[in-house]
Amino acid sequence: MTQISVVIPARNEAENIITLVEDIDRALAALGGFEIIVVDDASTDASVAVLRKRAQSMPHLRVLTHDRSGGQSAAVHSGVLASRGAVICTLDGDGQNPAEELPHLLAPILGDATGRIGLVAGQRVARQDTWSKKAASKFANGLRGWMLQDGTRDTGCGLKAFRREAFLALPYFNHMHRYLPALFARDGWAIAHVDVTHRARGAGRSNYSNLQRAAVGVVDLIGVAWLLRRRKISTVLPDDLR
C-alpha cells in the first residue's frame, strides 16, 4: 500500500534526475510503501528518455510528462493529482534539496497524533547559491512574511511534506508553490518547520532568474494577500436552526 508519494517537478534535468531518484530510493527504503513521481515539464533534453529507462528496473518510479511547459506549480499539481499516497513530499529536480532530508521532513506529519499538521515546510540552512540569488530570496521572504504573516522564513524551499487532500482543497493558481504555508494556514491547518541542508547544483543551470521571480512575485503576493483576507469560515448550525 502506498503511504507516501514523492513528487518531483523537473525541466531539463537529465544530468541530475537519476542520481536524485536513486538517492530518494535509498533515503526512504526503511519506510516502505512509497512511490516516486517525476513530472517532466516539457523538457527539451534527454530527461524523459533516461527516466523511462530507469523506471524499467524501478517499478515504483512513475514518469509524467507535460506537452508544454506549465511551470513548477503546474508540475506539482499534476503529480499530486496522479499520486496514490495520503502524504506527499516534494523536492526540486536539480538535486539541490538532499534526499536524505526526507525522513526528517516526514517525521512531524507521520507522527502527528492530533491530525492537525497539514504541512511541513523545509527551511534551508547554509544555502549553496550565488550571493545575488540568496539576497533576492532574503528580500522576497522578508516581504512575503511581513505581508502574509505566514511564520515561515523560507517558503521557496522545495522540500515540503503535506496531506494530499488538504493540498487539493487549496485554491490552485500559477506559482502557488511559493505560498503553501499561508494557504494551508488559511484553511486552518497547523504548519511545522524543519531546517534542512542545501547543495550546490551538480550540473545544468536554473530555469528561473531573479528578474523572472521578481516580475511575477509582486502580483502573486497581492493576490495571495487578497485570498487570505477573503477567506470564508463555514459555520455549522444547531439542528433546530437548520
Side-chain angles (χ1 to χ4, degrees), residues 5-241:
S5 296
V6 182
V7 174
I8 310 167
R11 176 173 167 80
N12 293 334
E13 297 291 356
E15 297 178 276
N16 298 309
I17 196 66
I18 298 304
T19 298
L20 176 61
V21 164
E22 292 175 347
D23 285 348
I24 293 169
D25 195 50
R26 286 189 290 271
L28 296 182
L31 295 179
F34 68 93
E35 64 179 355
I36 304 171
I37 302 174
V38 180
V39 183
D40 182 83
D41 193 36
S43 289
T44 56
D45 65 1
S47 292
V48 174
V50 299
L51 282 163
R52 286 178 173 164
K53 181 178 180 181
R54 188 64 182 91
Q56 293 174 4
S57 56
M58 188 181 283
H60 52 287
L61 170 61
R62 301 167 60 194
V63 184
L64 307 181
T65 60
H66 286 173
D67 59 1
R68 56 183 175 178
S69 179
Q72 188 169 343
S73 286
V76 170
H77 198 257
S78 294
V80 175
L81 284 173
S83 66
R84 305 184 181 110
V87 174
I88 309 294
C89 284
T90 64
L91 69 171
D92 295 338
D94 57 14
Q96 290 195 262
N97 300 141
E100 307 89 81
E101 298 288 1
L102 290 174
H104 307 138
L105 198 73
L106 284 163
I109 199 165
L110 294 181
D112 177 26
T114 68
R116 293 184 60 249
I117 297 176
L119 169 72
V120 183
Q123 300 189 128
R124 291 165 290 189
V125 295
R127 186 172 170 181
Q128 303 299 304
D129 274 322
T130 62
W131 176 88
S132 62
K133 198 169 184 179
K134 288 188 285 188
S137 180
K138 183 176 181 179
F139 173 79
N141 278 310
L143 179 61
R144 183 166 45 234
W146 175 71
M147 284 190 66
L148 305 183
Q149 297 296 306
D150 59 9
T152 303
R153 72 168 190 269
D154 183 18
T155 61
C157 180
L159 275 163
K160 291 184 173 68
F162 49 80
R163 299 183 190 275
R164 179 181 186 272
E165 294 304 317
F167 175 87
L168 292 176
L170 300 177
Y172 170 62
F173 55 92
N174 199 13
H175 310 297
M176 68 175 289
H177 66 278
R178 297 177 185 148
Y179 301 95
L180 291 184
L183 294 171
F184 270 88
R186 169 184 179 267
D187 279 4
W189 292 100
I191 314 299
H193 297 91
V194 174
D195 284 348
V196 295
T197 54
H198 191 243
R199 290 176 179 163
R201 172 181 274 273
R205 62 179 185 177
S206 174
N207 293 302
Y208 306 99
S209 68
N210 292 336
L211 183 60
Q212 285 174 311
R213 288 188 174 96
V216 299
V218 174
V219 175
D220 291 340
L221 188 55
I222 293 170
V224 173
W226 182 89
L227 279 172
L228 298 185
R229 288 197 299 269
R230 296 301 186 273
R231 171 63 173 162
K232 292 183 178 179
I233 306 299
S234 61
T235 57
V236 179
L237 294 176
D239 290 341
D240 59 340
L241 296 180

